[in-house]
Amino acid sequence: MGDTNTLAEPDVTPLAEQKEISEIFREPSPAQEALLSVFNLQESHVRAYIAVVEHPDSRVDDVAEVVDRHRRYVAKSLRALFDAGLVDREKMTFETGGVGHVYWPVAPEQVKSHFQNELREWLIDAQADISKIDRRIETDSDVLCCGSESGD
């Protein structure tokens, strides 16, 4: 448990803030759509995220029970959330003898910072794509314009 300091550090306030983050996902909104797009998540991952926020230090089976989904579905969702930087995990050996991961939500400050960085990169990419489209439209307009003049 190398991350013990990280887990012991947060108090009740960050958990309350994490619940506020999960509230973003409860009602469809532009904020939810932005989060899903920027983190490349599907709406199906949202239920798993809310379960982890409300039940930190959960195993895949625990989350599967909360969201009432098959373990395999939940494992994929948790992997996507981990890859997106929204949850963290630690590999453990359980009392039952099995080995697996325990998941908890990443601190809200980290999620916010990560989201802002990802959004900034997403906007830069979108602006570059828009510029390419603008240049293509200008080029096509010039060809149409000049092509019709030369045909006279």
Side-chain angles (χ1 to χ4, degrees), residues 58-107:
S58 292
R59 300 178 304 161
V60 172
D61 292 338
D62 300 329
V63 175
E65 187 176 320
V66 169
V67 299
D68 194 29
R69 295 282 187 199
H70 190 274
R71 183 184 193 292
R72 190 174 16 197
Y73 159 85
V74 171
K76 286 180 182 181
S77 293
L78 290 171
R79 175 65 182 183
L81 293 168
F82 176 76
D83 290 345
L86 295 174
V87 299
D88 211 344
R89 68 183 186 193
E90 183 174 353
K91 195 170 194 171
M92 298 185 73
T93 302
F94 304 116
E95 292 176 9
T96 59
V99 176
H101 290 102
V102 173
Y103 293 85
W104 62 90
V106 171

Side-chain angles (χ1 to χ4, degrees), residues 14-57:
L15 183 57
E17 290 174 10
Q18 289 168 350
K19 288 191 181 215
E20 288 176 16
I21 291 170
S22 71
E23 289 300 317
I24 292 172
F25 289 115
R26 290 198 189 275
E27 297 293 326
S29 68
Q32 178 181 341
E33 291 175 23
L35 280 169
L36 293 174
S37 294
V38 169
F39 287 119
N40 196 27
L41 297 174
Q42 301 170 8
E43 289 183 41
S44 60
H45 301 136
V46 172
R47 290 176 69 186
Y49 177 73
I50 292 170
V52 171
V53 169
E54 293 177 350
H55 306 279
D57 300 326

Side-chain angles (χ1 to χ4, degrees), residues 70-146:
H70 190 274
R71 183 184 193 292
R72 190 174 16 197
Y73 159 85
V74 171
K76 286 180 182 181
S77 293
L78 290 171
R79 175 65 182 183
L81 293 168
F82 176 76
D83 290 345
L86 295 174
V87 299
D88 211 344
R89 68 183 186 193
E90 183 174 353
K91 195 170 194 171
M92 298 185 73
T93 302
F94 304 116
E95 292 176 9
T96 59
V99 176
H101 290 102
V102 173
Y103 293 85
W104 62 90
V106 171
E109 308 81 45
Q110 288 177 293
V111 172
K112 186 183 290 185
S113 175
H114 183 57
F115 175 71
Q116 289 170 341
N117 291 336
E118 291 293 320
L119 182 59
R120 208 175 348 268
E121 288 180 30
W122 184 83
L123 284 172
I124 289 168
D125 291 345
Q127 288 171 336
D129 288 344
I130 290 169
S131 293
K132 288 177 189 174
I133 292 169
D134 286 346
R135 284 192 298 273
R136 183 175 286 154
I137 290 171
E138 288 173 8
T139 301
D140 290 349
S141 295
D142 289 345
V143 168
L144 290 174
C145 174
C146 297

